[in-house]
Amino acid sequence: MRILVTGGAGFIGGHLAERFVTDGHDVVVLDNFDPFYDTRIKNHTVEVCRERADEGDGTYRLVEGDVRDADLVTELVEEADYVYHQAAQAGVRPSVQNPRKYDDVNVDGTLNVLDAARGTGIERVVLASSSSVYGKPEYLPYDESHPTTPVSPYGASKLAAERYACAYSEVYDLPAVALRYFTVYGPRMRPNMAISNFVSRCLNGEPPVVYGDGTQTRDFTFIEDIVEANVTLLSEDAADGEALNIGSTDNIEILTLAEEIRDQLAPDLEIEFAERHDADAEHTHADSSKASELLGYEPSRTIREGVAEFVEWYRANREWYEPLVLES
């Protein structure tokens, strides 16, 4: 298969590209290396993917460019059988300061991909959406019928992007699926995320910092579960035109998470607290039964199991990864 992964040097896109190359596919990655977080992590991801290509039957090509470049996007999409559209301007909090950029990248960039794909006979476009589309919960866990009332420009931009994908599927007969990810974590994760910060601070004798009182809850989803859901869409068409939750079906209070990481790594430290950001969601919790029904999706790790695995990876990769966390 010829697979285009936009944002393919990033956290999720990089893991997808690595898996596709390892499985013997021909992969093209489009990424603009936006310095939202330290690009050395992206460079490491590219090196890993190239190594996987050298070891097996897959091929890997990196194109440095932007999804806002419609001509470039069209050129790359026309060469692909599948498009995994992971490129986005990330970050809930920064979106409050610069909402226009989130519209430019997440909405207009997505329209470039969809416009390039309709009429090409492409097998499928898979779009990365987010639990941020739900906003304040009317009930938990969120199912796909829950109202979508995002409370941040980031969430609004992701909702607009997925609605366009589903609309194009309906009116242009373009096979497209939107996957609503719930707080993804794991190896090579963004260094400014709660789990990576808790682990880094504890390993360096610094107290973990919790924003707010810590009663906020999150449904953390391990990266390998995200990858498996995406891989299934290479052969499964039951979800075309749909938006699906992809979560762990488990959740945990942020304070409890910080305490458990602290107790495992540095039990003498005291938790510190800082002001909570208004744009942060109060709670996330996924009902992934629709993905289970349509894709056979089942999360493989509980939050505690996944965090333990991330800590093990962190220790093994501490020499190169930890400086990036500390600098961010």
Side-chain angles (χ1 to χ4, degrees):
M1 300 290 186
R2 299 172 300 171
I3 302 175
L4 170 64
V5 184
T6 70
F11 172 41
I12 299 174
H15 278 275
L16 290 176
E18 180 185 357
R19 171 63 180 272
F20 293 144
V21 169
T22 301
D23 287 348
H25 299 296
D26 298 319
V27 177
V28 174
V29 160
L30 173 65
D31 203 290
N32 69 352
F33 287 80
D34 185 279
F36 177 70
Y37 61 90
D38 199 307
T39 56
R40 284 176 289 177
I41 298 178
K42 290 191 172 188
N43 291 329
H44 176 82
T45 296
V46 170
E47 291 175 7
V48 169
C49 290
R50 285 174 172 157
E51 289 173 3
R52 299 293 180 268
D54 291 340
E55 295 165 355
D57 297 326
T59 64
Y60 178 85
R61 178 163 71 100
L62 172 67
V63 177
E64 292 194 43
D66 200 298
V67 292
R68 290 171 289 184
D69 183 340
D71 292 337
L72 175 60
V73 168
T74 298
E75 175 187 335
L76 296 178
V77 169
E78 287 178 346
E79 298 172 352
D81 299 312
Y82 290 83
V83 176
Y84 282 80
H85 180 42
Q86 309 296 304
Q89 185 63 46
V92 169
R93 297 169 189 171
S95 75
V96 176
Q97 277 72 51
N98 191 7
R100 288 283 184 177
K101 184 175 184 181
Y102 286 75
D103 184 75
D104 289 344
V105 177
N106 299 353
V107 183
D108 289 343
T110 297
L111 281 170
N112 286 339
V113 171
L114 295 172
D115 280 336
R118 67 183 178 100
T120 62
I122 202 161
E123 295 288 341
R124 184 162 295 107
V125 174
V126 182
L127 170 74
S129 188
S130 168
S131 61
S132 295
V133 303
Y134 288 115
K136 295 180 180 179
E138 293 188 6
Y139 57 85
L140 291 171
Y142 294 117
D143 58 27
E144 290 83 357
S145 297
H146 187 284
T148 47
T149 54
V151 295
S152 68
Y154 170 78
S157 71
K158 297 300 281 186
L159 179 59
E162 73 163 54
R163 290 298 88 201
Y164 272 120
C166 293
Y168 271 53
S169 184
E170 180 70 24
V171 300
Y172 301 119
D173 199 27
L174 171 66
V177 181
L179 300 182
R180 292 174 176 169
Y181 302 150
F182 280 70
T183 316
V184 188
Y185 71 102
R188 303 200 303 263
M189 69 189 295
R190 285 201 338 242
N192 60 346
M193 302 295 283
I195 291 173
S196 51
N197 270 322
F198 292 163
V199 172
S200 174
R201 292 181 70 86
C202 288
L203 285 175
N204 287 281
E206 300 176 6
V209 178
V210 171
Y211 293 92
D213 61 7
T215 59
Q216 311 97 297
T217 61
R218 290 291 179 273
D219 189 328
F220 290 99
T221 313
F222 196 67
I223 182 62
E224 288 190 18
D225 293 331
I226 296 292
V227 170
E228 289 300 328
N230 279 276
V231 168
T232 300
L233 290 167
L234 285 174
S235 57
E236 180 57 72
D237 64 2
D240 286 350
E242 301 284 349
L244 304 179
N245 292 338
I246 304 294
S248 70
T249 71
D250 189 9
N251 72 344
I252 189 171
E253 283 193 353
I254 296 296
L255 179 57
T256 301
L257 176 66
E259 289 172 340
E260 292 194 3
I261 292 174
R262 186 272 314 272
D263 292 346
Q264 178 184 346
L265 301 179
D268 294 333
L269 293 176
E270 295 289 334
I271 306 291
E272 291 187 356
F273 295 87
E275 185 176 355
R276 178 175 171 265
H277 296 263
D278 291 339
D280 289 347
E282 187 71 21
H283 302 287
T284 67
H285 189 191
D287 178 344
S288 296
S289 57
K290 185 176 178 181
S292 178
E293 175 186 351
L294 296 179
L295 304 181
Y297 171 76
E298 295 294 340
S300 63
R301 294 160 178 81
T302 65
I303 292 169
R304 290 165 177 82
E305 290 169 342
V307 168
E309 192 167 331
F310 173 72
V311 170
E312 182 179 353
W313 176 87
Y314 192 111
R315 290 184 185 277
N317 292 271
R318 190 173 180 180
E319 182 177 349
W320 74 268
Y321 179 74
E322 183 169 82
L324 310 187
V325 181
L326 297 176
E327 292 170 10
S328 63

